[in-house]
Amino acid sequence: MVGLFGTRLQKLEWGGWLAVGFAGAAMALGVTIAIGEMLNPGAYVNAQYTWLHLAASPGPFPNGLSLVAGTLVDPLSALMLLVVTVVGFLVMLYSIGYMHHDRGLPRYYAELSLFLAAMTGLVLSNNLLEFFLFWELVGVCSYFLIGFYYEKPSAASAAKEAFLVTRVGDVLFLLGIFIYFFHYATTGPNGGWAANGFVFTNGTTPFLPAGAIGSSTLLTIAGLLILGGAAGKSAQFPLHVWLPDAMEGPTTVSALIHAATMVAAGVYLLAVTSVFIGFTSTDQLAIVAIGGFTAFFAATMAVVHPDIKRVIAYSTISQLGYMVMAVGAGFAMVGLFHLFTHAFFKALLFLAAGSVIHAVGTQDLFKMGGLRKPMRVTAAAFAIGGLALAGIPPFAGFWSKDDILSAVYSQLGSHPLYWPFFLLAFAAVFLTAYYIFRAWFLAFSGDHPRDPSLPHAHEGPWVMQVPLVILSGMALIAGLFIFLPNFQGLLLHGDGVAGIPPVYGSTDLLLSGVSVGLGLAGIGLAYQLWGNGRVYVLPADSPWQSVRRLLLNRYYMKVAYDWIGLRAVYGISRGADFVDRYVIDGTVHGFERIFGSLSDRLRAMQSGVVSDYAAYVIAGLVGVFALLLLVAPYLLAHFGGT
């Protein structure tokens, strides 16, 4: 609607407010549904209808095949609905001020509204097929929004990169769906998919209790394919390369993608698969390995980057790694709890960064400085988001991140292969605190900007400040929700699928103490190098320069992918083009030329002279008579007669 009538609405300055109104209505419904689930823990509402039904037939579907479309409201979807709608509304409100002067507003609000609708449909889907349809719609919307400034070559390139890299994961995800489909069609309870038509629920309880999947090789492959789909969407190693470049889109888009929608979808996919289907032990090890390694790997790149948005983008990749690791260790609800808290403080960081960019017109941290006094609200908001990200109590990130560390640690005795990835994730705590406060000190500390050509900084309008204040409050208190019994109903799923209650033993307290100590050490190091307007310059002859170049070039993985694309994929494409042009088309054109030549010769025989045609008839009769003379002795010898 906004897209169709956006031009006129923009002139009347109603277009943005119309989108905000719809987002506000969605938030009201989302909050109401979440409260309903908290008051009735373990309740399920499943409304569905048969989309396609095939009659029973011999083969893998003796009971027939039903594909359904439906809406499932359970604790998982209610929690995600709360995150998506609240953050979506605040980002939409913030956009009124941040995007005010952009000439593409009708398109922006239409695409952003479709993005929120797609994510809402995804979290409410009650089967994998419907889930995948909304999953793809989220990907298409991200392509539009990342490439919003399509006149810029870098933005157009980033949109294509995000689209192509996530498609790699989507193909893997679809293959995993196919395997689950055919496996549960014949082996699932009550006839599996053939009888029920969906995986997530049979109407009242989960389809399978966690861990019931067994250890089938086929199901291990399916689980790894699902992991591939989640890695693409949630930018986990090695499909992480698209997310930093996605910062070419508006900062509001970055906030929504990183906090509540697209990248959260991958973690949500792993969580619902873990809860409703389960993973084999091999799958779990792979998920823990990917998550733990990515948490550290992405954090190392954030410590040197000069772009304020890309620093936060690497932070997102790293924090998603924590969530993935928790799911792999068997604590899906712990991962979703961190997704819940992370959504608020990550949206806060991005919107605070957007406020800075809106004021000074640059994303380069080394040109900023001295912004604390003219932008007190933004400086405080960024600091609160940074403290939550660093895991400093009582801010939200402390409770959820430490729950992940405690949960994974509890599995190390029975799964010793988890140890290296747990240690990497633990080390990332120090790096996280260091890089986020390096960004804060570079942007806000000091007396004046390092680049005197920057415009005089000032706070944005109230529509930009109100979301910062609300998200600051959520970044402060969201972690404390775990102590609310009703909120625990969203994290203790029932049917053997446990979350992690707020019970802290001596080991948990020790881990938390070490974690907080690492966070404070990271903040302290950032202050020593960058505080009070200082800028640390690494000596040119330092052996660490090579490490710095490695990190700035993102371990050269993007270069490697480009090389693979140019050499391998392009080479295969050229070979396929040769086969298409000269083998397939050549064969077709060859037959065409042969028959064309024969047709030309036969056509030349059509003279139109009656005497010529009479001669052809006589010649034909003579030929037939001669043939009969030759064949007659053979027929007499074998069949007799006269």
Side-chain angles (χ1 to χ4, degrees):
M1 183 176 181
V2 177
L4 289 175
F5 304 106
T7 302
R8 175 171 289 277
L9 291 173
Q10 183 183 2
K11 293 178 181 178
L12 297 174
E13 297 185 357
W14 292 354
W17 287 109
L18 180 63
V20 170
F22 283 122
M27 180 183 69
L29 290 173
V31 172
T32 301
I33 290 172
I35 291 175
E37 280 294 319
M38 286 190 288
L39 296 178
N40 298 281
Y44 294 83
V45 177
N46 184 48
Q48 67 180 30
Y49 70 93
T50 300
W51 177 28
L52 174 67
H53 178 73
L54 299 179
S57 62
F61 306 114
N63 300 321
L65 172 63
S66 295
L67 298 179
V68 301
T71 298
L72 172 66
V73 177
D74 67 344
L76 273 76
S77 58
L79 182 69
M80 286 296 298
L81 201 61
L82 182 65
V83 170
V84 171
T85 57
V86 171
V87 175
F89 168 74
L90 294 175
V91 169
M92 198 76 81
L93 178 63
Y94 182 95
S95 299
I96 295 291
Y98 187 81
M99 301 292 291
H100 179 69
H101 298 294
D102 198 287
R103 60 185 176 87
L105 281 181
R107 177 166 52 89
Y108 171 81
Y109 286 117
E111 292 169 358
L112 203 64
S113 298
L114 182 61
F115 198 10
L116 285 171
M119 190 64 194
T120 303
L122 184 148
V123 302
L124 292 175
S125 298
N126 78 335
N127 63 87
L128 278 175
L129 180 59
E130 184 181 346
F131 189 104
F132 184 77
L133 295 176
F134 283 110
W135 175 279
E136 289 299 291
L137 186 56
V138 168
V140 170
C141 292
S142 69
Y143 169 76
F144 293 147
L145 289 167
I146 293 170
F148 182 75
Y149 300 119
Y150 58 85
E151 302 92 342
K152 293 172 54 180
S154 57
S157 176
K160 288 185 289 186
E161 180 186 21
F163 190 80
L164 291 173
V165 173
T166 54
R167 291 294 76 69
V168 173
D170 293 355
V171 170
L172 300 177
F173 178 22
L174 189 59
L175 292 174
I177 291 176
F178 290 157
I179 293 177
Y180 281 142
F181 185 99
F182 287 106
H183 178 80
Y184 286 112
T186 55
T187 64
N190 301 320
W193 204 313
N196 295 324
F198 50 94
V199 164
F200 291 170
T201 176
N202 64 14
T204 57
T205 59
F207 184 78
L208 286 175
I213 194 170
S215 58
S216 164
T217 301
L218 183 66
L219 294 178
T220 295
I221 295 172
L224 294 176
L225 292 171
I226 295 294
L227 172 60
K233 215 66 153 187
S234 290
Q236 297 295 282
F237 178 87
L239 299 179
H240 65 282
V241 293
W242 66 270
L243 193 56
D245 294 332
M247 297 302 98
E248 293 291 340
T251 304
T252 48
V253 170
S254 302
L256 198 57
I257 288 177
H258 287 244
T261 55
M262 182 172 175
V263 297
V267 175
Y268 183 64
L269 169 63
L270 290 177
V272 295
T273 306
S274 175
V275 169
F276 290 114
I277 302 176
F279 288 110
T280 67
S281 58
T282 303
D283 291 334
Q284 288 184 295
L285 176 60
I287 296 170
V288 169
I290 292 294
F293 176 76
T294 303
F296 178 81
F297 176 74
T300 60
M301 292 180 280
V303 300
V304 298
H305 213 286
D307 187 308
I308 187 171
K309 285 178 64 177
R310 280 176 166 77
V311 169
I312 306 173
Y314 286 120
S315 158
T316 299
I317 300 172
S318 179
Q319 295 301 305
L320 290 167
Y322 282 107
M323 303 173 204
V324 169
M325 184 173 64
V327 175
F331 295 89
M333 296 305 170
V334 179
L336 288 181
F337 180 43
H338 192 51
L339 187 154
F340 171 78
T341 61
H342 173 266
F344 298 112
F345 63 74
K346 185 51 57 68
L348 175 63
L349 287 170
F350 266 113
L351 295 186
S355 185
V356 171
I357 297 166
H358 183 267
V360 300
T362 181
Q363 297 176 197
D364 191 340
L365 286 165
F366 290 95
K367 293 182 179 180
M368 301 178 190
L371 299 178
R372 180 175 57 84
K373 292 181 179 179
M375 303 184 71
R376 294 184 183 277
V377 173
T378 301
F382 199 100
I384 291 172
L387 289 168
L389 176 64
I392 305 301
F395 297 92
F398 162 75
W399 305 100
S400 55
K401 180 261 299 175
D402 277 26
D403 272 356
I404 290 176
L405 295 175
S406 296
V408 177
Y409 183 81
S410 69
Q411 299 297 305
L412 296 180
S414 55
H415 299 87
L417 292 178
Y418 290 1
W419 263 108
F421 310 107
F422 170 78
L423 294 176
L424 287 175
F426 216 93
V429 174
F430 171 81
L431 297 178
T432 301
Y434 169 77
Y435 66 65
I436 198 61
F437 276 92
R438 167 183 172 269
W440 192 93
F441 289 127
L442 281 172
F444 296 102
S445 69
D447 298 323
H448 52 77
R450 282 172 285 276
D451 186 348
S453 66
L454 293 182
H456 177 70
H458 58 85
E459 292 285 7
W462 71 268
V463 290
M464 294 175 63
Q465 294 187 51
V466 167
L468 292 179
V469 173
I470 295 174
L471 289 170
S472 295
M474 292 301 296
L476 178 61
I477 67 171
L480 299 175
F481 284 19
I482 189 65
F483 294 100
L484 300 176
N486 287 340
F487 183 79
Q488 291 177 35
L490 298 181
L491 298 176
L492 301 174
H493 201 275
D495 294 287
V497 184
I500 184 166
V503 176
Y504 299 100
S506 57
T507 302
D508 298 321
L509 293 175
L510 178 61
L511 286 172
S512 293
V514 175
S515 173
V516 173
L518 287 174
L520 293 174
I523 297 173
L525 179 60
Y527 176 78
Q528 288 297 320
L529 298 179
W530 313 98
N532 289 332
R534 292 186 291 270
V535 176
Y536 176 74
V537 178
L538 190 66
D541 58 349
S542 171
W544 290 100
Q545 283 288 1
S546 58
V547 177
R548 180 175 178 273
R549 285 192 296 271
L550 179 67
L551 297 178
L552 282 174
N553 287 283
R554 300 192 272 181
Y555 293 91
Y556 297 98
M557 288 193 65
K558 183 173 170 57
V559 175
Y561 285 164
D562 290 343
W563 184 90
I564 292 172
L566 180 63
R567 301 294 181 184
V569 177
Y570 183 61
I572 294 172
S573 299
R574 290 186 64 182
D577 179 68
F578 176 85
V579 172
D580 181 54
R581 288 175 183 270
Y582 300 105
V583 178
I584 299 175
D585 288 352
T587 301
V588 173
H589 294 323
F591 281 112
E592 176 189 354
R593 286 190 290 270
I594 291 171
F595 288 114
S597 177
L598 291 174
S599 298
D600 290 341
R601 295 186 180 185
L602 290 173
R603 186 167 58 250
M605 298 173 63
Q606 303 296 322
S607 63
V609 180
V610 176
S611 59
D612 290 346
Y613 295 153
Y616 297 154
V617 172
I618 293 172
L621 291 173
V622 171
V624 171
F625 183 71
L627 181 63
L628 289 174
L629 290 177
L630 293 173
V631 173
Y634 175 82
L635 295 176
L636 291 172
H638 287 79
F639 299 101
T642 56

